[in-house]
Amino acid sequence: MTTALHASMFNLRLLSSSFPISIYNTRCKIRAFCSKMSTDSSPKLTHSINLPARSGEPLQVLAAPGVSESDFRNAIESSLFQQWLKNIQTESGLLVNGDMSLKEVLIQGVDMFGKRVGFLKFKADIIDKETGSKVPGIVFARGPAVAVLILLDSEGKTYAVLTEQVRVPVGKLILELPAGMLDDDKGDVVGTAVREVEEETGIQLNLDDMVDLTSFLDSSTGCTVFPSPGGCDEGISLFLYRGNVSKETITQLQGKTTGLREHGELIKVHVVPYEKLWRSTADAKALMAIALYEMSKKEGLLPPLRS
């Protein structure tokens, strides 16, 4: 009898202790449901744009969850997004011949560099009318950039100047050409190239000695190169600089630490014999610059090297 009574009391305690937990779980589920209903019912940020190359309804631009109203507005007004809209309506643009249709654009992420948009990620719903299928439309927009192939002659040997930088996206240290993004509010390609070289290597270049290698490309290319057009809009202008220096200068450059620390730049300069350059780097900018340099030299397009 006592044992049975104790067992009943024990079961009663379990019931009484689990009952509040059950109520608590139910309340949590109700709160989560109400929160979801509130989120789902909140107005979505949208914007309409009339495109000359797009007949019919205006293009609808939407903001993904988590994109603030200010970021959404900055994204739409940014030169990155405006340039993309221009590109899809040019002679070789996606919308010109009518084979493709653009349904909508979803702004997914915005990274501000001070007061301007530095990086922009969005998804464009573009349909191939013949098949009715979507084409890949994820875009990482960062805008135009410049890079410089610096060749220094010293005691009958030619050297190339590279920078070693921490590149978080690939998780490695990369040897690459001195390069930088083009400020969208200036558009000074040559000036940006010279400034980036000075910041990253400490070398002061003469503007008159700069040769635009990408200018030798056919005009249909826009005289720019795209390292990864499947996902990024970045178009790079590649420049060449040639000069004569002493062996002491080569020694001083080797291993030199540079970069704007306030911008998080931790850079080490490397000087590589030019004939070994193509095997010394995985940087697409460097490899493209080598190809353009060698072909333009072969065809006699380069100006003579000033003494």
Side-chain angles (χ1 to χ4, degrees):
M1 179 66 180
T2 303
T3 303
L5 180 60
H6 286 169
S8 299
M9 291 177 65
F10 180 69
N11 290 336
L12 182 61
R13 289 194 198 101
L14 286 178
L15 288 172
S16 62
S17 62
S18 63
F19 184 64
I21 294 176
S22 177
I23 294 176
Y24 174 77
N25 289 337
T26 303
R27 287 174 178 170
C28 287
K29 290 177 181 178
I30 292 173
R31 289 196 194 101
F33 177 77
C34 291
S35 175
K36 185 177 186 303
M37 289 292 290
S38 175
T39 302
D40 292 344
S41 62
S42 60
K44 293 184 178 180
L45 299 173
T46 61
H47 181 77
S48 298
I49 300 176
N50 292 309
L51 298 180
R54 185 177 185 270
S55 58
E57 297 181 359
L59 169 65
Q60 296 298 314
V61 185
L62 296 80
V67 175
S68 68
E69 185 175 352
S70 61
D71 279 349
F72 184 56
R73 182 176 62 253
N74 288 331
I76 294 171
E77 296 175 354
S78 70
S79 63
L80 296 176
F81 189 64
Q82 293 300 318
Q83 184 60 53
W84 181 79
L85 291 176
K86 289 180 182 178
N87 289 345
I88 62 176
Q89 299 177 86
T90 58
E91 289 184 5
S92 57
L94 298 177
L95 303 184
V96 172
N97 58 15
D99 292 339
M100 303 282 177
S101 65
L102 175 60
K103 298 299 183 182
E104 66 179 32
V105 172
L106 179 68
I107 304 296
Q108 297 174 312
V110 183
D111 286 310
M112 300 297 296
F113 288 8
K115 294 184 179 180
R116 71 181 181 89
V117 175
F119 296 147
L120 174 63
K121 184 175 182 293
F122 60 91
K123 182 173 71 172
D125 279 345
I126 296 181
I127 308 297
D128 177 13
K129 291 182 179 179
E130 182 178 354
T131 62
S133 301
K134 283 187 179 182
V135 298
I138 299 294
V139 181
F140 173 56
R142 57 174 293 163
V146 295
V148 185
L149 173 62
I150 303 174
L151 300 181
L152 302 177
D153 288 341
S154 179
E155 298 182 1
K157 196 167 186 177
T158 301
Y159 298 88
V161 179
L162 299 175
T163 61
E164 179 187 88
Q165 301 194 54
V166 176
R167 294 307 192 187
V168 176
V170 295
K172 297 180 180 181
L173 291 170
I174 297 291
L175 284 176
E176 56 190 284
L177 295 186
M181 296 173 61
L182 188 65
D183 292 339
D184 53 18
D185 59 337
K186 296 179 181 179
D188 180 10
V189 180
V190 183
T192 299
V194 171
R195 185 172 63 253
E196 290 295 334
V197 167
E198 185 172 352
E199 290 175 357
E200 295 191 357
T201 68
I203 301 174
Q204 294 183 340
L205 305 184
N206 188 332
L207 281 173
D208 296 332
D209 293 329
M210 300 288 284
V211 178
D212 185 353
L213 293 173
T214 39
S215 69
F216 299 136
L217 295 172
D218 189 88
S219 59
S220 63
T221 67
C223 295
T224 188
V225 292
F226 296 96
S228 187
C232 183
D233 74 327
E234 182 182 47
I236 303 177
S237 297
L238 295 171
F239 286 85
L240 167 70
Y241 176 84
R242 297 166 295 171
N244 293 289
V245 298
S246 65
K247 190 67 175 180
E248 181 183 4
T249 299
I250 298 295
T251 303
Q252 290 173 347
L253 283 172
Q254 190 70 266
K256 181 178 181 181
T257 56
T258 61
L260 299 177
R261 293 299 189 266
E262 63 273 21
H263 291 174
E265 294 179 344
L266 305 172
I267 299 173
K268 181 183 289 187
V269 178
H270 288 255
V271 182
V272 179
Y274 175 68
E275 69 269 16
K276 296 182 179 180
L277 177 60
W278 71 279
R279 284 185 166 180
S280 303
T281 176
D283 176 32
K285 301 185 297 298
L287 298 174
M288 289 186 292
I290 292 171
L292 290 174
Y293 170 62
E294 291 294 339
M295 293 305 298
S296 58
K297 182 172 64 172
K298 180 181 178 181
E299 297 193 15
L301 299 175
L302 296 176
L305 177 62
R306 296 199 303 178
S307 58

